[in-house]
Amino acid sequence: MEEGSKKGQFDCENMTVIKHSNTIETSNNNCSNKLIQSNQCTSHEEESRASSGKTERNILCYVDDPESSAESEVENVCLQDDIGESESDSVCVEHLNPSEDQENRNSSTQTRTDHRGDDVGCQETDSLASASGSHKDCESNGVPPHSVDDEEIFRRAREEGRVNVIFPGCITQDGCCRFVGELLKCVLYQRQQMPMTYDQMVFLQKQQHNASQDIIKQRSAKASGGLDWRRCQKMLQELDDVLAHLEALFSLSRVPRVLFMLGGSTVLPTELYEVNMESVAVGAGENSLRTSTCLRQIFRTLFVADLLSDAKSVRLMSTTVLALGHRDCGVTGFKPRVDFKVPTKVKRQVISIGSDLSLAGELPKTDLEDYIWFQAPVTVKGFCK
Amino acid sequence: MDISDHHMTDVGIIRPDVHIEVHVKSQSTAKRSDVRTHVLSLLDRHSTVLRSFKWMDFDNEFLTKNVESVTIADVTGPKLVDLKVHNLCIHIFTLNDDSPSTLNLEEEEELSAANLWLLPAVEFHGVWESLIYEEGIKTQLLDYVSTTIFFSDKNVDSNLIAWNRVVLLHGPPGTGKTSLCKGLAQKLSIRLSDRYAHSQFVEINSHSLFSKWFSESGKLVTKMFQKIQELIDDKDALVFVLIDEVESLTAARSAAQAGTEPSDAIRVVNSVLTQLDQIKRHPNVVILTTSNVTEKIDLAFVDRADIKQYIGPPSAKAIFNIYLSSLEELMKRQIIYPRQQLVSLEELETMNFMESDVTRLSLCLMNISQRSVGLSGRALRKIPFLAHALYGKTSTMTLKGFLTAMEHAVNKQRQEQASLVNCV
């Protein structure tokens, strides 16, 4: 009997709601739309958070049109009756959609379906947004091909101890000699065998030479920074001797490989650097690239590769230069080392210089069996201030 | 008939080895195979040569340009050598003229733990020939290392037949033990150049292996042998390790029981012995040690030495040969002028030591040699210098005058020895 009375009460309330809605059609439509949206949000929130959902529902009801009083009454009745969540949902839906029971059931199903579709839509929207965002990020942070090569250069230098420089053309023999000379100076400076760069030492030496003829020597002493001039001049002399001998060798023979051995002995050096030019296409002056441009590219690659960086401080060592030259080139300064073998116990840093064969043409096939190692007669001893 | 049969038997069974040492100039870039071809053609044109003969001038242009000398080395037997009935072993080598480099144990320290020479080295050239010993000591040492290589090549089981690759030379000071080690290493690097393209000589500075910190010395010994291990890992390298005055590294551990030695010395000996045991697995290493006081060396180390060779003061015969080589050198450089003939001891024996114009000066030299018995080899090599410095009136002297001066110098050495003994 009580249940029947409750059902009757619901029916009366439904008739009341219908009457109100019929009176004003336009406003009812707007209200119903708003209510539908708010209810969807409310039900969605109810699923996640029950108590807060209820509170929000009340807030939404207050914000609604003057007819909200009836809505709130209806909802209060639902709460008072302690009906289950599903039933309360169905009741709310029934209020929102005035129709028979069968249609109510169908409409509720459609509502849920729409709700799910909306969720999917939201997710799609988010993914699309993120996709577009990432796309923009890619575009904005786009790396030109040069930087990609830089990373490869750095990785290879770290893992293999090797730096590759490819030139799009032929290089003169004198250019190869300059490469080796500049690389030798760079290695000596970077490995702290010289307190300053070679050119700076030469400049200060000239300044010192000029100052010795002048009366004022104190100024030059300050400018020189307290260098040990005897050691400085001795090292410059040794280095100039090595460079001169290298120039003589390059003028007499093709030089596929050059070794810089620092410290220890030629059997167990402390450090070993190799300049490998087996892939260089040697050409005449007019058909070849400019040496200065190639030097800049070599040193840029060296800088990117970070080949010569080492946090460990290095002792002063003797540097020996060996070069691979033809057996019968007749060079006089160097000492031939017929039995020399490149040490394998030491980690070797290789600077490989080559020509792009698709542009420079094929290399003349060289018989490396006729090439032997020549050792520079002078060793360069490192010194510090 | 018997002699000819014996000769035929020798020819049929085996032909003895004759070692030809070809010294290629350091500036030469010629291939070894080309040098070999030209040397063989040279030997083909001189089928019979004097023992220990040495070519220094050649008709061939290639040899003149590339070869310093060709030497018939270390031949025993008759004076004339018939090359056709011998197995010719040609050893081609070039001398390394680098100064010795240093091995450092620590990255931070500048202290040189050892000196390293590439063999054959200019510094060791001629050392082997200048050392004169009795009883075939040099030949035995050569054969020892040759047998080591031979056994290793034949894969002899080292658990059944073992050798430790340690040679201990002991004896009074000044008898050339260190020089013998260097000469031996040089000779072996030349003799085995076909097998080992690279040879190294490591002279350990024992003083660098001791430390002021307790238990640091054992670590330094281990680090030193790790460095040597890096050299040995190259299978093409033959490594000679010289430990001079080895008693400082291997002092007897029994002395520590008396409380007169710190226990740090025990750790050093233990470390050395352990490292020696590890190193003997490799066929390309020879450890040469010298000592003046053998009674202080730990018995475990003495037991590990494959060859324990006593090197004593030279005998009168050896002294005669030492003086003879010195006088030949002075006549070669025209410090003694004019050149006069000196005969060898064998020739004196042939002539029953009869005095004549030919043998008078040699007999005088023999008398000086007999009175020099008891002096060390190092002192003997100084006698000609002191003779010229103290008793030479002129820069150039005759052989007779020089012999008189040498006699005075020997007498002075004797007096100095007596004075030192009296002081003690």
Side-chain angles (χ1 to χ4, degrees):
Chain A
M1 288 301 291
E2 292 179 354
E3 291 179 355
S5 65
K6 288 180 181 179
K7 289 181 180 179
Q9 289 177 0
F10 286 137
D11 289 338
C12 292
E13 292 172 356
N14 287 333
M15 293 176 69
T16 304
V17 169
I18 292 168
K19 288 179 181 178
H20 283 288
S21 65
N22 285 331
T23 55
I24 303 171
E25 293 180 356
T26 304
S27 64
N28 283 337
N29 289 333
N30 292 332
C31 291
S32 64
N33 288 331
K34 291 179 181 179
L35 290 171
I36 290 168
Q37 290 179 1
S38 64
N39 282 327
Q40 289 175 359
C41 294
T42 305
S43 62
H44 183 66
E45 289 174 357
E46 273 182 333
E47 293 177 359
S48 62
R49 296 172 291 179
S51 60
S52 62
K54 292 177 182 178
T55 307
E56 289 180 1
R57 193 197 307 163
N58 293 328
I59 294 170
L60 289 170
C61 293
Y62 293 134
V63 173
D64 284 340
D65 290 347
E67 296 178 352
S68 64
S69 62
E71 291 286 337
S72 63
E73 288 178 357
V74 170
E75 290 177 0
N76 289 334
V77 170
C78 294
L79 291 173
Q80 290 174 1
D81 290 342
D82 291 334
I83 300 172
E85 292 182 357
S86 61
E87 292 180 356
S88 65
D89 288 339
S90 63
V91 168
C92 294
V93 170
E94 287 174 359
H95 292 305
L96 291 172
N97 295 310
S99 61
E100 296 179 358
D101 291 339
Q102 292 179 356
E103 291 180 359
N104 285 336
R105 291 176 183 175
N106 293 330
S107 65
S108 66
T109 305
Q110 289 175 2
T111 304
R112 291 175 183 175
T113 305
D114 291 339
H115 193 63
R116 293 176 183 176
D118 287 342
D119 288 339
V120 174
C122 290
Q123 291 177 1
E124 288 177 358
T125 306
D126 290 337
S127 62
L128 287 172
S130 63
S132 62
S134 62
H135 187 64
K136 291 179 180 178
D137 291 338
C138 292
E139 290 179 355
S140 62
N141 294 334
V143 178
H146 213 39
S147 294
V148 174
D149 287 345
D150 281 359
E151 292 178 4
E152 180 66 16
I153 288 169
F154 183 80
R155 184 198 63 80
R156 175 169 286 186
R158 282 288 138 188
E159 294 180 5
E160 305 176 12
R162 186 181 186 93
V163 176
N164 286 335
V165 187
I166 306 295
F167 293 120
C170 297
I171 300 169
T172 61
Q173 182 75 353
D174 185 63
C176 293
C177 181
R178 273 198 66 191
F179 296 164
V180 173
E182 296 298 327
L183 284 168
L184 176 59
K185 296 170 190 170
C186 175
V187 166
L188 287 176
Y189 174 65
Q190 292 288 339
R191 305 307 294 153
Q192 303 172 38
Q193 304 302 304
M194 293 192 285
M196 54 189 71
T197 59
Y198 173 83
D199 297 327
Q200 201 175 354
M201 283 166 64
V202 170
F203 171 77
L204 286 179
Q205 191 189 38
K206 290 180 181 177
Q207 199 181 50
Q208 177 76 3
H209 181 68
N210 294 333
S212 65
Q213 298 173 354
D214 294 338
I215 299 174
I216 303 173
K217 295 184 179 179
Q218 187 174 4
R219 183 179 300 173
S220 64
K222 289 181 180 178
S224 66
L227 272 181
D228 185 352
W229 277 114
R230 189 185 58 81
R231 297 289 302 275
C232 180
Q233 290 180 5
K234 186 168 187 291
M235 191 201 195
L236 284 175
Q237 183 65 42
E238 289 167 352
L239 192 45
D240 287 339
D241 281 347
V242 172
L243 294 174
H245 282 111
L246 279 172
E247 194 169 347
L249 180 62
F250 271 90
S251 66
L252 288 167
S253 163
R254 186 165 171 264
V255 182
R257 294 169 75 186
V258 180
L259 295 179
F260 306 145
M261 293 183 158
L262 280 78
S265 64
T266 54
V267 176
L268 269 186
T270 305
E271 298 178 27
L272 176 57
Y273 299 90
E274 178 182 343
V275 183
N276 192 305
M277 296 177 288
E278 295 178 6
S279 305
V280 167
V282 181
E286 294 178 356
N287 297 328
S288 303
L289 306 171
R290 291 188 59 203
T291 302
S292 54
T293 309
C294 297
L295 271 174
R296 277 198 291 274
Q297 185 174 341
I298 289 175
F299 281 102
R300 186 192 179 282
T301 308
L302 274 182
F303 179 78
V304 169
D306 209 20
L307 192 71
L308 297 172
S309 71
D310 197 341
K312 182 174 63 177
S313 66
V314 185
R315 289 184 294 105
L316 298 178
M317 300 180 281
S318 294
T319 302
T320 305
V321 177
L322 285 97
L324 199 62
H326 195 272
R327 190 182 290 267
D328 301 323
C329 62
V331 70
T332 54
F334 283 82
K335 296 182 281 189
R337 293 278 182 248
V338 179
D339 296 325
F340 179 78
K341 194 173 71 172
V342 179
T344 55
K345 287 293 174 179
V346 191
K347 184 187 179 185
R348 186 168 34 142
Q349 312 274 6
V350 182
I351 302 163
S352 182
I353 301 172
S355 298
D356 192 344
L357 297 186
S358 62
L359 301 174
E362 288 187 358
L363 288 174
K365 296 181 180 178
T366 308
D367 186 8
L368 286 186
E369 285 187 0
D370 272 337
Y371 282 72
I372 62 172
W373 287 101
F374 289 90
Q375 180 174 333
V378 185
T379 59
V380 183
K381 293 182 176 58
F383 85 105
C384 61
K385 295 180 179 180
Chain B
M1 288 298 295
D2 291 340
I3 295 175
S4 64
D5 287 343
H6 184 68
H7 186 66
M8 291 297 295
T9 305
D10 278 350
V11 171
I13 292 177
I14 195 169
R15 308 202 308 179
D17 289 342
V18 167
H19 297 280
I20 314 292
E21 295 182 359
V22 182
H23 178 190
V24 175
K25 294 180 178 178
S26 61
Q27 286 299 322
S28 167
T29 59
K31 292 183 178 179
R32 293 290 196 259
S33 51
D34 295 344
V35 175
R36 185 184 199 86
T37 303
H38 283 87
V39 168
L40 281 173
S41 65
L42 168 75
L43 298 174
D44 200 54
R45 284 186 275 109
H46 303 79
S47 59
T48 304
V49 296
L50 285 174
R51 187 180 64 192
S52 303
F53 189 74
K54 186 177 192 177
W55 286 271
M56 299 190 73
D57 299 310
F58 310 98
D59 304 333
N60 188 292
E61 180 185 347
F62 178 90
L63 291 176
T64 302
K65 181 185 175 186
N66 292 288
V67 172
E68 192 85 41
S69 67
V70 176
T71 307
I72 314 291
D74 302 319
V75 178
T76 58
K79 181 153 289 201
L80 291 181
V81 179
D82 188 354
L83 295 178
K84 295 234 182 328
V85 299
H86 285 79
N87 181 33
L88 302 181
C89 304
I90 299 183
H91 311 292
I92 302 170
F93 66 95
T94 299
L95 294 179
N96 288 279
D97 47 6
D98 294 340
S99 56
S101 52
T102 60
L103 290 177
N104 298 91
L105 297 181
E106 301 279 356
E107 288 290 336
E108 301 84 19
E109 288 185 10
E110 296 290 335
L111 182 66
S112 165
N115 289 326
L116 177 71
W117 283 267
L118 297 181
L119 295 179
V122 164
E123 209 158 316
F124 299 171
H125 191 50
V127 171
W128 182 256
E129 289 77 19
S130 69
L131 296 166
I132 297 171
Y133 293 105
E134 310 295 329
E135 307 155 19
I137 289 174
K138 299 203 295 185
T139 308
Q140 287 174 20
L141 291 173
L142 270 181
D143 293 340
Y144 161 74
V145 180
S146 300
T147 299
T148 298
I149 306 299
F150 183 65
F151 273 34
S152 301
D153 287 349
K154 294 293 184 179
N155 290 321
V156 172
D157 190 343
S158 59
N159 295 305
L160 303 178
I161 302 175
W163 58 95
N164 290 300
R165 310 179 202 289
V166 179
V167 175
L168 173 60
L169 305 178
H170 61 98
T175 51
K177 296 185 293 298
T178 305
S179 299
L180 178 57
C181 292
K182 295 182 174 178
L184 175 66
Q186 177 96 337
K187 176 64 67 172
L188 282 164
S189 65
I190 294 170
R191 192 64 61 87
L192 301 170
S193 58
D194 296 336
R195 173 81 161 79
Y196 295 104
H198 316 276
S199 296
Q200 287 126 39
F201 187 85
V202 180
E203 183 182 19
I204 293 179
N205 301 324
S206 299
H207 56 268
S208 65
L209 299 182
F210 291 100
S211 173
K212 60 184 178 182
W213 305 114
F214 193 69
S215 85
E216 188 75 15
S217 304
K219 280 193 236 173
L220 293 176
V221 169
T222 305
K223 285 179 182 176
M224 168 54 64
F225 278 87
Q226 280 175 0
K227 278 287 178 182
I228 293 170
Q229 186 69 51
E230 289 182 30
L231 297 172
I232 293 169
D233 286 338
D234 181 4
K235 295 306 172 190
D236 282 338
L238 179 57
V239 181
F240 298 91
V241 182
L242 170 64
I243 310 179
D244 221 352
E245 316 298 344
V246 74
E247 70 273 7
S248 59
L249 273 179
T250 56
R253 288 173 289 183
S254 56
Q257 299 175 6
T260 58
E261 293 280 349
S263 62
D264 205 33
I266 298 180
R267 297 162 188 257
V268 171
V269 181
N270 293 340
S271 189
V272 171
L273 297 176
T274 306
Q275 298 297 329
L276 289 180
D277 288 342
Q278 287 188 18
I279 220 168
K280 75 178 184 183
R281 293 183 287 106
H282 301 276
N284 57 330
V285 63
V286 180
I287 299 180
L288 307 165
T289 62
T290 70
S291 175
N292 292 327
V293 280
T294 50
E295 60 273 9
K296 290 192 176 180
I297 302 181
D298 194 281
L299 286 181
F301 178 82
V302 175
D303 190 56
R304 276 170 171 79
D306 299 330
I307 287 186
K308 296 174 271 287
Q309 177 67 56
Y310 175 76
I311 310 288
S315 65
K317 182 178 178 180
I319 295 172
F320 183 90
N321 287 320
I322 291 171
Y323 283 159
L324 190 62
S325 62
S326 303
L327 295 176
E328 287 289 335
E329 178 70 14
L330 293 178
M331 285 190 280
K332 181 180 174 183
R333 308 296 170 185
Q334 297 191 357
I335 294 173
I336 294 178
Y337 189 81
R339 173 183 280 270
Q340 290 177 264
Q341 183 68 30
L342 284 168
V343 296
S344 63
L345 268 182
E346 291 83 9
E347 292 166 356
L348 286 178
E349 289 175 7
T350 305
M351 290 180 278
N352 291 319
F353 301 100
M354 186 192 308
E355 181 169 345
S356 66
D357 290 340
V358 174
T359 62
R360 180 173 298 106
L361 293 175
S362 301
L363 289 172
C364 182
L365 183 62
M366 191 177 70
N367 288 329
I368 297 174
S369 303
Q370 287 168 353
R371 294 169 62 180
S372 302
V373 171
L375 295 178
S376 67
R378 184 181 294 133
L380 293 173
R381 287 291 179 188
K382 285 187 278 187
I383 292 291
F385 181 86
L386 294 176
H388 189 279
L390 301 179
Y391 304 102
K393 302 293 191 295
T394 58
S395 298
T396 303
M397 303 169 67
T398 62
L399 182 56
K400 179 178 169 62
F402 198 86
L403 287 174
T404 305
M406 278 185 64
E407 189 170 0
H408 292 327
V410 169
N411 290 334
K412 183 171 175 53
Q413 285 287 314
R414 288 284 189 203
Q415 292 170 11
E416 287 177 358
Q417 274 191 349
S419 302
L420 289 174
V421 169
N422 291 337
C423 288
V424 172

